[in-house]
Amino acid sequence: MTKYGLRARVLAFTIIPTLVIGILLASYFSVNRYQQLEDALIQEGVNVIEPLALASELALSSRNREALNRLLSSIHRNNSPLVSAIALFDDEGRLLVTSNYHRNLDRLRLAKDSPIPLLTRVETGDDGIVLRTPVITDAPQADAPWEESSARPIGYVAMQLTDDSAMLLHYRDTFFAGLIVLLGVCLSALFGVRLIKGVSQPITDMVSAVYKIREGRLDTRVSGEFTGELEMLKNGINAMAKSLSEYHDEMQQNIDQATSDLRETLEQIEIQNIELDMAKKRAQEAARVKTEFLANMSHELRTPLNGVIGFARQLQKTKLTSSQLDYLKTIEKSARNLLGIINDILDFSKLEAGKLKMEQIPFSLRDTLQEVMTLLAPSAHDKGLELSLRVDAAVHDSLVGDPLRLQQVLNNLVGNAIKFTEQGNVDVRVDARPAGQPERSGLCVHVQDTGIGISESQRRQLFQAFNQADSSISRRYGGTGLGLVITQKLVHQMAGDIELYSEPGSGSVFSFTLELDKAALPLAEPLPLAELADKTVLYLEEDSFSRRATSALLREWGVQVLYEPSPHSQVDIALLGFGPDALPSQMEQELKRQLAFDNKTVILLSSTDPTLSDSLLAAGAAYCLSKPAHYQKLALALSDPQGRDEQPQVPIALPPPARRQPLRVLAVDDNPANLKLISAMLGELVNRVDTCRNGQEALDTATSQPYDIIFMDIQMPVMDGIQATRGIRAQGGPNATTPIVAVTAHAIDGERDRLLGQGMDDYLAKPIDEAVLARIIQRFASRPPAPGQIDWPQALQRAGGKEELAREMLGLLVQSLDEFTPMLQSALTGKLNGEGLYPSLHKLHGGAVYCGVPQLQSLLAGLEQALLDKQPLDALEPELLELEERMEQVREEAKAFL
């Protein structure tokens, strides 16, 4: 049933309009009548008070109080139903005569300092109406000339009127108006009831019939004679009842059949539920085993990788030739690439669950891409392929994002292109595309190959886990079929899209688009563009892809490029590019031809064979670079007027500390290679390093020898690192409060928090990063940390050890603080909301990353996350005030560095 029935609706639609109209009319006439009565009352009062003022002039002028009293009393008696009180005041507001006692004469008297009105004035209030009119005389003043005499007020008469009679008339009129409205409502109700009787009864009969039909009495019919729509409704109900009766019989037959089928289905579902429950338990057990396997696999793979990467870094600190250094760096990069793949395998479950978090750190796009090309170039050269990289000049180089994930995507796509291409080219092209916001940069990366191609039917299963385009591909080329799935998920995680264009036999083009934030400062090493400007380079290259990529780079640097030798053109440098099929004799012949013209020659090889490079250098080449040539190496080769010989050098990846810390450190690890590595690293940072091979040995040593820091491996035989840490803390010996740093190859989520909760003071992941190790040593050194907001050693580290660059970045940060201060003040005063403050705060946070202000950076990071979580600025007022204070501290401390 509805909330209001038909009867109520009809009565409402008939009575309410009548009631509303009647009330409005009655109100209008009542108010109008009251206004008329009030106006008539005031007019009567005016007709009384003005003659009274004229009559009292002579008596007031002569100060005849008795005459005035008789006059006011006579007027009051003659108009007693109208007048409540009469009073006469002189021109100074003093009461002279009143017709009767009045408790509040101030009601009749004019306000203080108020002039006597020249005309009759009406004043209404809760206690009646007050009229005031002046008493004017024409008699001249004694000390005034005759010609200056004029009418002037010598007092005024105040009269208070009573509206009792008017209110009685008003109440009478209001009563009759209400009576008329009530009569109209009654007539409307009468007509409404009459109308309801002609409609509601047939509808009630039909509703009763419908209820009976709903209860299953399908033989029920509506009877009676109706007109109009009611007749149509009756016929419809009767037809519905007839149809339902027919359907009921047919449905009963179907129900009987369905009941029999359902009984059989329920038995099958019960069996399936039992099987699903068993499968669920098996899946949960498999997930647990998978988690344990990933953790153990991470530890077992990271342990040898720690030795490979660590000793490669140590070896770089010895005297090496440039070729040896290049190979050693390739080994290190390959090991780090393998470490990245291990991390990707560990993160695959996060990708499936959508829980993988992307880092947001500044990086150089060209350097990031070049690292991938350098790692994959030997694979392409071994297959006789040309590998080229072309970055459009309009692409912004300094970006903020996750460079490791970007390298992983490119590594998978280019690696697949090399794997499935037997001859021809693999070309990587990066183009600029419009971005949605001015502070962001859009880019589109294309990986094009001349390989086997992919058919339409194969594309549909290409991005499925552990699947490849064809089962024969897995047998011929190998692989797990997991790379493209991870690639697609990573691109989507970075808010990008990936597409594929391919035809069998014509190669493939994988394209993905991204939008990344622009970094505030340039990150790549500066190029010697001044030395390259206006130089003329003779560029000879057979491969069209490589020629286009290198030519675009040269034109971007302002170099004039010639593709054919000309006797009329002066050539500064000859740049020779040779493909994988070129013979060494052909290379030497072309080199001699260029040397005959006294041209400095730089050679680009589709090979990483050091023997070939050495032979060409010995034949007179200034430089030999592997394709695709690193843009910085190519710029250096073209700008260097003499070329460089292969001389031993000492390339140190990380600057050594100024001096060793006067600390005694204990290193504990069961793996001999890792123990030897961490001992060598610590030997460069502290005065003395002791070693142990398991937790029990470490516990025994720590019982008798004091140490400043203990580096404890976690997974060890005899006694693990956690048990050893608990024993050292519990024994109360010389190392009960010594900082213990966990050194582990486990990389699963929550490992750091778990270890810190077990009593560890810090966490160091394998492979060991020398910079992180140095920071831990510095943190636990005996000397106190430098106070203040600016951490200058950190600022120098962020600037790559370049003090001038660190000062420049700090100066830019101070400028950013000045630009941000008005926005912060507007936010604190409520003139700016969180959405308006976020872009400026995000920009300031990006700049603080480079400048060695950890406290300010941490506070900005917390505020930025709070604004992303839509927290109101009122709740963030303490943090904003703290930000204002720290900004001022940074300004003051920066004066000592700028």
Side-chain angles (χ1 to χ4, degrees), residues 80 101 163 199 340 363 378 383 468 518 555 626 705 792 821:
S80 57
Y101 173 74
D163 57 354
V199 177
F363 68 96
K383 296 186 68 174
Q468 292 187 325
K518 296 178 182 178
R555 287 193 296 269
S626 296
Q705 300 293 331
W792 189 244
T821 298

Side-chain angles (χ1 to χ4, degrees), residues 464-492:
Q464 297 178 9
F466 306 103
N467 274 330
Q468 292 187 325
D470 193 349
S471 59
S472 62
I473 292 177
S474 182
R475 290 194 299 270
R476 181 177 179 185
Y477 296 101
T480 62
L482 197 61
L484 286 179
V485 178
I486 295 178
T487 298
Q488 184 188 46
K489 290 182 179 293
L490 286 175
V491 171
H492 290 168

Side-chain angles (χ1 to χ4, degrees), residues 531-552:
E531 291 83 352
L532 293 174
D534 300 327
K535 281 196 174 184
T536 301
V537 174
L538 174 62
Y539 182 31
L540 302 180
E541 174 66 68
E542 296 179 358
D543 184 71
S544 59
F545 288 95
S546 298
R547 184 169 61 251
R548 285 196 297 268
T550 307
S551 298

Side-chain angles (χ1 to χ4, degrees), residues 424-475:
N425 300 76
V426 175
D427 181 41
V428 179
R429 189 175 77 256
V430 183
D431 297 328
R433 62 188 297 268
Q437 299 177 0
E439 64 271 12
R440 295 175 67 84
S441 176
L443 54 94
C444 182
V445 182
H446 308 276
V447 179
Q448 182 177 359
D449 62 65
T450 57
I452 59 177
I454 304 172
S455 66
E456 180 66 29
S457 59
Q458 293 170 339
R459 289 182 222 168
R460 288 191 288 269
Q461 59 181 353
L462 191 62
F463 291 100
Q464 297 178 9
F466 306 103
N467 274 330
Q468 292 187 325
D470 193 349
S471 59
S472 62
I473 292 177
S474 182
R475 290 194 299 270

Side-chain angles (χ1 to χ4, degrees), residues 726-743:
R726 291 174 179 172
I728 293 173
R729 300 298 190 205
Q731 68 182 357
N735 297 293
T737 60
T738 299
I740 301 179
V741 180
V743 184

